[in-house]
């Protein structure tokens, strides 16, 4: 059995919403084992050379029973519509959510924007 790849550094924003930099598909098993139930990618495919494609990360996530959501946002330019999408995901997420982008910053920004939207 292959060794589990160490998990990318994860920053808790709330007890159930955490953010991280770009994930590698090989990390998904460890993320699922850590108790995450939903994975959100806010990084557009092709943003950086060598970046794993969302499809590869999503395929691994589905193998491990995680719900997946793709909300690609440009760095520093999260839109209100994207924040609304995240708010909807969070309202329906069963348990802990991990959202990732290049650094985790746009995921944290989207969360702050989502909190300010009316219910």
């Amino acid at each position: 059995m292959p060794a589990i790849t160490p998990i990318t550094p994860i920053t808790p924003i709330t007890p159930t919403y955490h953010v991280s930099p770009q994930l590698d598909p090989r990390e998904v098993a460890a993320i699922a084992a850590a108790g995450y139930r939903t994975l959100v990618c806010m990084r557009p495919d092709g943003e950086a050379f060598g970046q794993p494609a969302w499809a590869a990360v999503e395929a691994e996530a589905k193998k491990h029973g995680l719900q997946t959501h793709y909300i690609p946002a440009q760095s520093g330019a999260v839109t209100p519509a994207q924040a609304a999408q995240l708010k909807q995901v969070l309202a329906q997420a069963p348990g802990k959510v991990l959202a990732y982008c290049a650094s985790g910053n746009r995921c944290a920004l989207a969360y702050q924007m989502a909190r300010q939207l009316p219910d």
Side-chain angles (χ1 to χ4, degrees), residues 18 28 74 88 96 111 119:
H18 301 174
V28 174
Q74 295 300 317
Q88 184 177 25
K96 287 188 347 184
Y111 178 81
D119 287 332

Side-chain angles (χ1 to χ4, degrees), residues 10-112:
I10 294 174
T11 303
I13 303 299
T14 72
T16 58
Y17 181 73
H18 301 174
V19 302
S20 78
Q22 175 71 52
L23 297 178
D24 185 284
R26 295 171 291 185
E27 295 178 290
V28 174
I31 288 163
Y36 292 95
R37 297 292 166 249
T38 302
L39 186 61
V40 178
C41 174
M42 295 197 74
R43 189 173 194 195
D45 277 342
E47 187 175 68
F49 178 77
Q51 165 190 340
W54 165 241
V57 177
E58 182 180 39
E60 282 300 311
K62 289 184 182 274
K63 284 183 195 175
H64 295 282
L66 279 80
Q67 290 188 2
T68 61
H69 301 275
Y70 185 55
I71 309 172
Q74 295 300 317
S75 181
V78 176
T79 67
Q82 292 160 332
Q85 279 183 276
L86 180 61
K87 183 173 183 154
Q88 184 177 25
V89 166
L90 295 175
Q92 299 171 0
K96 287 188 347 184
V97 175
L98 178 61
Y100 76 89
C101 56
S103 66
N105 288 342
R106 79 189 88 168
C107 299
L109 172 62
Y111 178 81
Q112 294 303 324

